[in-house]
Amino acid sequence: MVVVVVVVVVVVVVLVVVVVVVVVVTPVDIVVLAVASVVVNQLCYPLPAALLVSALAAVIYSDLPAPWVDPRGKAVLITGCDHGLGQALALQLDRLGATVFAGCLYMGGEGERALVKQASSRLVTLQMDVTDQEQVDAAAKLVADKLNGQSIAPASQMGAYVASKAAVAQLGETWRYELRKLGVSVSTIVPSGFKTGILLYDREAAANRWWQAASPEVQQYFGRGCFIPPHTRKNYRDYLSADMDAVGACMVDALFSRYPRPFYYKGILARSMTWLYLHSPSCVWDFIMPNLADFYHFPVQALEADSADQTAQKTS
């Protein structure tokens, strides 16, 4: 009876390890898995060892690069090439020999000029504001005869703005199933911890636009301070990487792999956060999330006024 219980416990532990490793795999995980399989085989039973070795083989196989189609002669349209991930991907694909149509929000701007300077003569920049339907239609018409049947979309996982990125991820999954019959594959890129263009916009100018567009009720309730809140971590940029090559490599593989993956994860917490959120008890996640997502202090005017009134009533 004791032997049976031990075997069951070991098998359960092994399955948990397998799930974690498959979701969040690193070279260290693979080494640990290999060592564990040997140790378990020597100290316990062949079945857990066999499961561990099988998991190791599955992980290694899933991480093997699939063969690519030749990027040369292929055409790719990229949005957001003024800076950040879009610009890094445009340069990577240009170096691989692809014809790149780089959509820029500001033609003639610093980002567009830097891109043209670094790229070959194959790269073509074009005005591309994704909120302007006429510009989108013009870009589509320009490259319609050169598209190579692959779509990728970056998505994120944190912060208030993530609602739109979560929508991108779900839209990508819908497209992946719907467009498969047309020979179009769709991949979603999930980066985490990179210095992208979201850090470059003029916060004060944006705050002024939002403040002027807000209704009197919103202005009175929240106050001017909520429209340009102070950051709670002064050195937050030190945790972010300026090297976009790793994310670019995922995008390149998604474009030219013969068997592209549905999702590509790259960077700090890209995989582990999703796994923790789906599988951790809410009490654990409620403890972790404030330390990950509370980047700004929002001094809501109405709430601070209520707090001040309550304090005054208690002291009077």
Side-chain angles (χ1 to χ4, degrees):
M1 181 65 180
V2 175
V3 173
V4 173
V5 172
V6 171
V7 171
V8 171
V9 171
V10 171
V11 170
V12 171
V13 172
V14 168
L15 291 176
V16 171
V17 171
V18 168
V19 171
V20 174
V21 170
V22 169
V23 175
V24 191
V25 62
T26 66
V28 175
D29 293 324
I30 294 176
V31 172
V32 170
L33 187 57
V35 173
S37 65
V38 175
V39 172
V40 171
N41 187 43
Q42 294 296 323
L43 300 180
C44 299
Y45 300 93
L47 178 59
L51 291 173
L52 285 171
V53 172
S54 300
L56 174 60
V59 168
I60 294 176
Y61 178 78
S62 65
D63 278 355
L64 289 176
W68 283 11
V69 298
D70 191 349
R72 292 171 296 182
K74 301 296 184 180
V76 183
L77 171 65
I78 310 171
T79 62
C81 293
D82 299 84
H83 44 64
L85 295 175
Q87 187 174 106
L89 176 60
L91 291 172
Q92 279 190 293
L93 293 178
D94 181 66
R95 288 193 293 267
L96 290 172
T99 299
V100 177
F101 294 89
C104 295
L105 185 60
Y106 303 107
M107 288 295 290
E110 181 180 351
E112 190 261 351
R113 295 198 306 272
L115 178 60
V116 171
K117 184 178 180 180
Q118 297 177 67
S120 72
S121 59
R122 285 190 311 276
L123 185 139
V124 178
T125 58
L126 63 153
Q127 181 72 42
M128 186 67 165
D129 181 350
V130 295
T131 65
D132 187 323
Q133 188 61 48
E134 290 185 359
Q135 293 185 17
V136 173
D137 292 341
K141 183 178 180 181
L142 181 64
V143 300
D145 61 334
K146 296 183 178 181
L147 289 179
N148 63 346
Q150 169 67 13
S151 174
I152 60 175
S156 299
Q157 294 176 314
M158 286 186 56
Y161 84 111
V162 154
S164 61
K165 297 301 182 75
V168 168
Q170 293 307 311
L171 181 62
E173 277 293 271
T174 302
W175 282 348
R176 188 165 69 87
Y177 289 106
E178 290 183 347
L179 299 179
R180 181 183 298 172
K181 64 184 70 175
L182 301 178
V184 177
S185 59
V186 178
S187 297
T188 301
I189 314 298
V190 185
S192 174
F194 294 92
K195 293 181 180 179
T196 60
I198 196 172
L199 302 176
L200 302 178
Y201 76 100
D202 188 332
R203 293 182 63 225
E204 187 169 354
N208 289 333
R209 291 197 304 271
W210 298 336
W211 176 257
Q212 293 171 6
S215 66
E217 292 79 10
V218 170
Q219 291 181 351
Q220 182 178 1
Y221 184 85
F222 288 96
R224 184 69 174 80
C226 277
F227 284 75
I228 184 166
H231 210 287
T232 57
R233 298 175 181 142
K234 295 182 179 179
N235 62 337
Y236 69 98
R237 296 192 181 208
D238 295 342
Y239 297 95
L240 305 176
S241 172
D243 184 4
M244 305 293 179
D245 288 346
V247 182
C250 291
M251 294 181 174
V252 172
D253 188 79
L255 284 168
F256 296 114
S257 173
R258 294 187 182 277
Y259 310 104
R261 301 178 186 180
F263 284 87
Y264 289 80
Y265 299 90
K266 186 60 64 176
I268 303 172
L269 303 178
R271 293 186 180 186
S272 57
M273 184 182 301
T274 303
W275 190 88
L276 286 171
Y277 184 78
L278 292 175
H279 301 289
S280 298
S282 58
C283 60
V284 174
W285 188 246
D286 289 344
F287 174 77
I288 295 175
M289 196 59 189
N291 295 288
L292 297 177
D294 288 349
F295 294 127
Y296 297 97
H297 171 61
F298 290 92
V300 180
Q301 184 171 278
L303 297 181
E304 292 188 344
D306 289 344
S307 178
D309 291 342
Q310 293 176 5
T311 302
Q313 291 175 4
K314 290 181 180 179
T315 55
S316 60

